Amino acid sequence: MSADESLNNAEDLLARLEAARARLDETQDPDQAIEILQELAELAKEVEAELQRAKRAAETEAAQPPDPDAPAS
């Protein structure tokens, strides 16, 4: 997976995290709030893992020599 793909996944997860946070703000039910907090914690872990993957992919991509056959951008 490329760094860009990992960053896109992290952005999607952040959007889900923001949606869950909004649901938490709207709820008055303590049980539902606990469920949403658990979801937020899991999403935060997934975001962190995705960012770590992006970092590793970027480091790997940066360490590779340029492909002489690749078109110039």
Side-chain angles (χ1 to χ4, degrees), residues 1-63:
M1 182 175 292
S2 75
D4 287 339
E5 290 169 325
S6 289
L7 288 174
N8 286 336
N9 288 343
E11 288 176 357
D12 292 342
L13 289 166
L14 284 170
R16 288 175 49 198
L17 193 135
E18 181 59 30
R21 190 203 56 76
R23 287 195 327 270
L24 179 62
D25 285 345
E26 294 171 359
T27 190
Q28 298 297 317
D29 179 3
D31 291 331
Q32 187 178 19
I34 290 169
E35 288 177 21
I36 295 170
L37 285 170
Q38 291 170 336
E39 179 183 354
L40 286 168
E42 185 59 36
L43 285 168
K45 288 178 189 176
E46 290 180 43
V47 168
E48 182 178 3
E50 215 45 70
L51 291 175
Q52 288 299 322
R53 276 192 282 278
K55 180 181 176 185
R56 285 192 303 273
E59 289 170 350
T60 300
E61 291 167 9

